[in-house]
Amino acid sequence: MPRNIKGVNRREFIVSTAASGAVVGLAGCTGGGDDEALGATPDDEDDYEPVPEMEFASVAQDEDALRYEVGNLAERQLQALGIETNREVVDVGTYSDKLNDREFDFMVAAWTGGTERLFPYYNLFYSFHSQFANLEGGNYTMFESEEYDEMVENFRDEPDESSRVEYAQNCQEILAENVPIIFTVHPDALVAANTDSFDNWQEMTGLYAYNNIPSLTEIENVGGDDQVVFGTTEALETYPNFFNVTGPDALRLHAFTYDPLVRLGLDGGPIPAAGEEWEWIDETTLDVTLRSGMTFQDGEPVTVDDVAFTFDSIQEEGIPYLGSDIDPYESSEILDDDTIRFNLSNPFSGFVQITLYRIPILPEHIWSDAIADHDHPSEWSDPDMTGSGPFEFIDYEPGTQIVYEKNHDHYLADEFDFEQFVYRLYGSQSAIIGDIENGDVTFTQYMGAEHWNQADDIENVRAISNPGLDAHGIWIPNNEGPFRDVRFRKALTHAIDQDEMLQILLQGRGEQAKHPIAPANERYYNDDVAEYPHNIDRSVELLEEAGFRWNGEGDLLMPTDWQPEVEYIPLE
Amino acid sequence: MVNLSYLGKRLGLMAVSLYAVITVLFFLFRILPGDPTSQVISPRFSAEQQEQLMAQYGLDEPLYTQYFLYMRNFMVGDLGQSFQHGEPVLPFILDRTINTLILTVPAIMIAFIVGPFIGALFAWHRNGRLDNYGTAIALTTYAAPIFWTGMLALMVFSFSLNILPSGGMRPAGEIPGSPLNRVFSFVTLQHAILPIVIFTLWRISRPILITRNTMIDVLGNDFIQLKKAEGTPESTIRYRHAMRNSLLPVVHYGALAIGYAFGGSVILETVFSWPGLGRTMWDAVQAHDYPVVQGAFFLMSFMVILFNFIADIVSTWLDPRVKDEGVVE
């Protein structure tokens, strides 16, 4: 359920900022500081050397204000331990280069929380399996554990939900115990909607609270306006050619024009869409029955051949953004006019919730020619956008708007209480708030805290703080220097004041993070894991245990022959 | 008559400048950190998938191959395809340019036609009440940032009084029937009023101040006293003799302003959600959409260079002293 938390007022904000500044300043004086050792001093200074200066990187403020501010706050807090850092603020290109090349000591990063992340495959598997701990993979922290690999593979493969949840929770326990990342916060998704024109707003879990088909089927037209306008400042990554799709916002819009086999319901669970039912035959075989009587918007029937064509051509032609979604797909067999069998190359229990949700059905009679006529179908610059989805693509003006009209032949047509959906691009959030109030915009998302507070004060606007699936943290290289010792990583985590981040940077709208799964993911979230409350004394204790000392100037020292003693803590 | 060798020299210089701009643009955006794939970086993206994406964008070729392909295509007017929208770049940016010109042409015309007259009036009444207050207002409109005046205008006219739309070129969902309809319609005019007014207020201050300051100098010249002694009517002295002789710096500044007008104003277009070239350029830079960025910057540079060239020619007409270099009798 969303929380309607009133924002911290300006006075409280200033007081808390000043207080935190004072605390951090004092901590800085104590630790990084001038002339006082934070913990034990070395018996013989010659046997020790200062911990090397570390690079503390984040993206720039205009790229992601939260990550930038988390970086500022966290850096100061870590400096309190006597660690010398060098702040680097980078653009998003350099950020990804640094991650790919593993050239960072501290990197403020995050997983974004689309609803499909309720099946926590990306957060648990791709980010921590040792198979990806190389320059080609996405395990940027280079965390490696055979126990974890086995556990996360079990999670990926297990068809039984309760066992799968248990495996996922064990994964979270391992991650919390070994802190491969300093987890910080799970921000809420801040969204707002005008209630004069449409009512009965019901939010879906995660980032896209209102911008999804199930929510839009629920809203009731109370203002007599047949148009829903989604106001946003986010330009689409790539659009409209589906074979060129490179981001979650564009993929979401493709689900308006094309039908996937399953959609996710308001609670994030898979619900029938073009696929009426599905059945696992074994752990690598899934039969899906197609909804009967469906047609594309040009009147052609939707067939199992279209489904097979879509999966085969995406696999053959390649859509990098959907690479991991299509990966488990090996082949398909048409069993009868309504049934298709998917054969997977390896067990993947998220195939329904992720793959069938993210890959929609494309019309073969349109795309087969495009594939034949181009080196790659993504080169089709003016693609025919005919699909079978609940909305028909009408017009796209980059930088302005995308217009869709209701497909009256769709099985959901009667559920929508409006005729037109407009994806409207704005230059600023302030203009969106003004237009939400006067009714020109129906709803918005991706709001900053200040704008959300503004919207929350407007009578005819429903502003909600939707529990998010995003997970923020500070990525650290687990295979380098002092980071190799779990106790060092734990000490860093104790030095971070998550509550301060939450109250000051998110104005209370979010949760503290223990691992990459947010509490909003009620099914998989494990609350019973190791925790690291802000406690500098405990940090000092852990560092002393791990062999670190401080000199008289408060700088952290490590023995010249230092070796990690605790590189991994197994599950009990 | 314009001296042909002078004209040839200027044209040659223009061609060299354009070649330099085209080349710099190509390398500039490629030496910046990041590439189009960095916009969609994700933990689940393998290096192989990133390479596939680079190949899809044609960025897997060596830099010199990309450069020669780029130059060859440029010569035939092919500026490539947008990575973001898949559309050919040239018609796309021309389309955005028209949107920008809808705002900037009226604003600049008003600013450079009306501005010098106001400046002349201030200079004529130097240190009078009109000059003191008028100059202060002109300085204020110049110093006030567009995002602030723009937001203020939106708050008053769009959100409080609700008499003008807050942004965009037309209401949500409305699709223009034809390109002409997009430019010349009541709806577009209605949406353009606020940004035009704000842009005009910002733009008009410079021609006012430049004319005023230059004309104050001109008014001190002997020939002005002579004209007065001759009994020439005041308005003729003010506008035909004093103002005309003060226009040269305004013309040069105007040429630059017209050149920049094609690029629009990122801030103006952002505040008013106007889909012009400025905002397009900004979005493209953020998305590392090289073809669009290159095309947009080239168009802007071309216009600035072209109008500087035109200004040089016009100044030979305005100021006969240039004749030794650029004009023959």
Side-chain angles (χ1 to χ4, degrees):
Chain A
M1 291 296 290
R3 290 184 298 276
N4 260 305
I5 301 169
K6 283 283 173 195
V8 178
N9 66 34
R10 187 174 297 275
R11 183 185 165 79
E12 285 166 340
F13 178 75
I14 291 168
V15 169
S16 60
T17 308
S20 97
V23 168
V24 171
L26 285 173
C29 290
T30 314
D34 301 322
D35 50 9
E36 194 184 325
L38 197 62
T41 51
D43 298 332
D44 183 353
E45 281 218 20
D46 290 343
D47 295 336
Y48 287 81
E49 60 188 4
V51 170
E53 186 184 68
M54 295 185 180
E55 185 185 277
F56 198 107
S58 77
V59 289
Q61 191 167 22
D62 59 347
E63 308 257 21
D64 188 324
L66 178 60
R67 276 195 267 167
Y68 171 79
E69 293 296 350
V70 163
N72 288 344
L73 209 55
E75 189 199 18
R76 289 200 295 272
Q77 290 169 346
L78 291 176
Q79 281 173 343
L81 290 178
I83 297 171
E84 191 81 19
T85 54
N86 171 31
R87 183 85 164 99
E88 196 172 355
V89 177
V90 297
D91 71 300
V92 74
T94 311
Y95 156 79
S96 56
D97 288 347
K98 278 179 175 293
L99 280 179
N100 281 324
D101 300 338
R102 276 42 173 188
E103 285 177 355
F104 60 90
D105 295 313
F106 296 98
M107 172 65 84
V108 184
W111 291 273
T112 50
T115 316
E116 68 273 21
R117 296 287 167 98
L118 282 172
F119 187 90
Y121 180 54
Y122 304 133
N123 299 33
L124 293 181
F125 190 77
Y126 275 93
S127 303
F128 298 108
H129 193 290
S130 59
Q131 164 190 355
F132 304 109
N134 50 58
L135 289 178
E136 280 75 45
N139 182 348
Y140 300 119
T141 60
M142 307 293 275
F143 172 73
E144 292 189 66
S145 148
E146 282 177 19
E147 183 185 42
Y148 185 84
D149 289 352
E150 194 185 328
M151 198 65 75
V152 81
E153 281 168 20
N154 287 339
F155 154 73
R156 179 193 63 179
D157 301 346
E158 178 59 57
D160 175 65
E161 193 181 39
S162 62
S163 305
R164 191 166 66 235
V165 167
E166 200 181 320
Y167 289 131
Q169 294 196 335
N170 287 342
C171 288
Q172 293 165 56
E173 209 174 320
I174 294 173
L175 295 177
E177 194 60 62
N178 287 277
V179 280
I181 285 171
I182 304 170
F183 298 102
T184 53
V185 288
H186 301 291
D188 285 357
L190 305 182
V191 298
N194 177 296
T195 51
D196 281 347
S197 46
F198 289 89
D199 210 347
N200 196 35
W201 289 96
Q202 294 185 34
E203 51 283 341
M204 182 188 259
T205 310
L207 194 59
Y208 301 93
Y210 294 148
N211 184 22
N212 62 79
I213 297 295
S215 286
L216 293 172
T217 58
E218 295 294 333
I219 57 174
E220 289 164 12
N221 188 337
V222 290
D225 193 352
D226 273 348
Q227 185 188 54
V228 166
V229 179
F230 169 41
T232 178
T233 54
E234 297 290 313
L236 289 172
E237 303 89 355
T238 49
Y239 197 77
N241 187 321
F242 183 78
F243 276 88
N244 208 12
V245 66
T246 52
D249 292 304
L251 189 64
R252 191 152 293 273
L253 287 180
H254 282 299
F256 280 61
T257 40
Y258 304 114
D259 272 311
L261 286 167
V262 304
R263 291 191 189 276
L264 301 184
L266 290 175
D267 66 353
I271 53 174
E276 212 155 26
E277 51 189 46
W278 51 88
E279 184 188 1
W280 284 102
I281 305 304
D282 58 48
E283 58 182 15
T284 57
T285 314
L286 176 78
D287 287 355
V288 178
T289 307
L290 202 62
R291 183 183 293 274
S292 57
M294 287 183 68
T295 57
F296 288 108
Q297 287 144 10
D298 60 3
E300 292 288 321
V302 179
T303 66
V304 282
D305 292 306
D306 292 303
V307 180
F309 164 81
T310 302
F311 279 78
D312 287 340
S313 48
I314 289 176
Q315 195 177 56
E316 281 161 25
E317 300 297 326
I319 301 178
Y321 182 66
L322 298 176
S324 59
D325 301 290
I326 198 76
D327 259 357
Y329 171 78
E330 187 174 70
S331 63
S332 56
E333 299 164 50
I334 291 168
L335 302 182
D336 58 45
D337 285 353
D338 294 324
T339 316
I340 185 167
R341 169 164 294 175
F342 290 99
N343 299 310
L344 310 191
S345 52
N346 55 273
F348 177 38
S349 55
F351 191 75
V352 171
Q353 191 160 352
I354 294 178
T355 309
L356 298 190
Y357 164 68
R358 283 166 62 91
I359 297 183
I361 305 168
L362 305 175
E364 182 177 7
H365 63 281
I366 288 171
W367 283 95
S368 56
D369 288 344
I371 289 170
D373 295 345
H374 298 87
D375 288 340
H376 189 273
S378 63
E379 290 168 12
W380 192 7
S381 63
D382 185 21
D384 182 335
M385 294 294 288
T386 300
S388 63
F391 292 92
E392 200 173 337
F393 173 90
I394 301 297
D395 189 52
Y396 174 39
E397 275 184 85
T400 304
Q401 61 179 7
I402 311 174
V403 182
Y404 303 90
E405 274 173 16
K406 184 158 84 173
N407 171 11
H408 285 271
D409 295 327
H410 194 266
Y411 69 95
L412 284 175
D414 293 341
E415 310 278 327
F416 294 106
D417 213 2
F418 58 94
E419 292 295 318
Q420 193 182 58
F421 180 87
V422 183
Y423 185 95
R424 173 94 158 161
L425 274 162
Y426 278 77
S428 71
Q429 270 286 341
S430 305
I432 295 179
I433 303 297
D435 274 357
I436 277 204
E437 184 173 9
N438 65 27
D440 289 340
V441 165
T442 316
F443 72 94
T444 187
Q445 65 182 29
Y446 293 134
M447 301 175 79
E450 285 298 323
H451 287 119
W452 187 87
N453 287 337
Q454 228 179 309
D456 195 34
D457 289 338
I458 303 170
E459 199 180 327
N460 62 339
V461 171
R462 181 176 195 250
I464 61 156
S465 187
N466 203 35
L469 299 171
D470 285 15
H472 284 237
I474 302 164
W475 270 234
I476 46 181
N478 285 225
N479 60 339
E480 282 183 20
F483 293 106
R484 285 177 293 161
D485 197 304
V486 177
R487 289 168 300 179
F488 182 76
R489 306 200 293 260
K490 287 186 178 212
L492 300 181
T493 313
H494 273 298
I496 296 294
D497 190 345
Q498 291 179 316
D499 190 50
E500 190 177 38
M501 284 180 185
L502 195 60
Q503 297 308 327
I504 294 177
L505 303 183
L506 298 177
Q507 299 191 26
R509 285 182 282 277
E511 295 282 350
Q512 296 184 17
K514 296 176 178 176
H515 43 63
I517 312 300
N521 191 345
E522 289 168 9
R523 191 171 288 131
Y524 285 99
Y525 178 70
N526 187 352
D527 192 38
D528 187 19
V529 296
E531 293 184 42
Y532 306 92
H534 179 54
N535 186 341
I536 293 288
D537 291 341
R538 180 67 187 134
S539 295
V540 170
E541 249 175 62
L542 283 163
L543 288 171
E544 284 175 349
E545 271 177 38
F548 295 85
R549 296 290 181 269
W550 285 263
N551 64 17
E553 290 168 352
D555 301 323
L556 187 65
L557 306 176
M558 62 194 291
T560 47
D561 59 350
W562 183 86
Q563 288 298 323
E565 284 170 13
V566 185
E567 290 187 77
Y568 181 73
I569 301 175
L571 269 183
E572 284 175 6
Chain B
M1 187 185 158
V2 177
N3 183 329
L4 284 181
S5 75
Y6 175 74
L7 192 67
K9 209 159 60 176
R10 297 291 305 144
L11 279 172
L13 206 61
M14 196 163 93
V16 171
S17 307
L18 286 175
Y19 173 74
V21 164
I22 295 168
T23 302
V24 166
L25 283 178
F26 175 83
F27 289 105
L28 188 67
F29 293 104
R30 279 163 179 80
I31 57 171
L32 286 177
D35 58 57
T37 61
S38 62
Q39 295 303 305
V40 290
I41 186 73
S42 142
R44 63 182 187 282
F45 250 50
S46 69
E48 191 190 338
Q49 283 160 351
Q50 283 184 45
E51 277 164 24
Q52 194 184 345
L53 204 57
M54 294 289 274
Q56 202 169 299
Y57 292 143
L59 297 169
D60 56 337
E61 301 283 351
L63 202 58
Y64 65 86
T65 313
Q66 286 184 47
Y67 176 69
F68 286 117
L69 282 172
Y70 163 81
M71 287 305 284
R72 192 192 65 188
N73 293 340
F74 220 101
M75 293 303 146
V76 294
D78 178 2
L79 305 190
Q81 260 186 318
S82 161
F83 296 157
Q84 277 183 294
H85 329 111
E87 288 183 48
V89 167
L90 192 58
F92 175 67
I93 58 171
L94 287 177
D95 189 78
R96 303 291 114 164
T97 307
I98 291 170
N99 293 348
T100 287
L101 293 179
I102 292 173
L103 300 186
T104 53
V105 167
I108 285 176
M109 278 176 66
I110 296 168
F112 283 89
I113 292 172
V114 178
F117 283 96
I118 298 175
L121 206 61
F122 289 176
W124 194 261
H125 298 284
R126 187 186 179 191
N127 292 334
R129 189 174 288 176
L130 181 70
D131 179 39
N132 287 342
Y133 286 111
T135 307
I137 291 170
L139 281 170
T140 307
T141 60
Y142 181 66
I146 285 186
F147 73 83
W148 182 71
T149 48
M151 286 310 298
L152 215 58
L154 283 180
M155 277 172 60
V156 175
F157 296 101
S158 301
F159 305 139
S160 296
L161 300 176
N162 210 5
I163 52 174
L164 285 170
S166 70
M169 289 179 70
R170 63 191 79 89
E174 195 172 302
I175 301 161
S178 68
L180 270 183
N181 194 12
R182 188 184 69 189
V183 181
F184 302 105
S185 71
F186 176 69
V187 167
T188 308
L189 177 69
Q190 207 183 11
H191 282 72
I193 286 175
L194 275 186
I196 288 176
V197 168
I198 296 299
F199 199 53
T200 306
L201 281 175
W202 185 66
R203 270 283 176 220
I204 201 167
S205 50
R206 287 296 284 272
I208 290 176
L209 296 171
I210 292 172
T211 310
R212 176 191 173 274
N213 295 346
T214 319
M215 197 164 133
I216 285 170
D217 288 342
V218 173
L219 287 174
N221 287 345
D222 292 343
F223 80 95
I224 297 290
Q225 301 305 322
L226 190 65
K227 289 288 169 194
K228 281 181 181 171
E230 279 175 355
T232 309
E234 197 176 272
S235 63
T236 309
I237 299 173
R238 188 191 302 166
Y239 296 115
R240 186 183 292 175
H241 298 291
M243 193 176 110
R244 186 187 163 186
N245 281 298
S246 313
L247 279 183
L248 203 59
V250 179
V251 167
H252 276 277
Y253 178 68
L256 271 180
I258 295 171
Y260 285 125
F262 283 82
S265 158
V266 176
I267 298 172
L268 183 82
E269 290 173 4
T270 299
V271 170
F272 292 99
S273 309
W274 193 268
L277 193 65
R279 213 170 125 222
T280 299
M281 209 158 55
W282 174 245
D283 288 344
V285 166
Q286 287 198 310
H288 294 267
D289 193 348
Y290 297 153
V292 171
V293 173
Q294 283 164 183
F297 272 93
F298 170 72
L299 188 72
M300 271 185 68
S301 315
F302 177 72
M303 290 303 167
V304 171
I305 291 169
L306 177 72
F307 279 95
N308 262 318
F309 169 75
I310 293 172
D312 281 347
I313 303 301
V314 171
S315 60
T316 61
W317 171 76
L318 271 177
D319 188 350
R321 287 170 295 180
V322 185
K323 70 179 179 182
D324 296 336
E325 194 189 335
V327 173
V328 291
E329 296 291 348

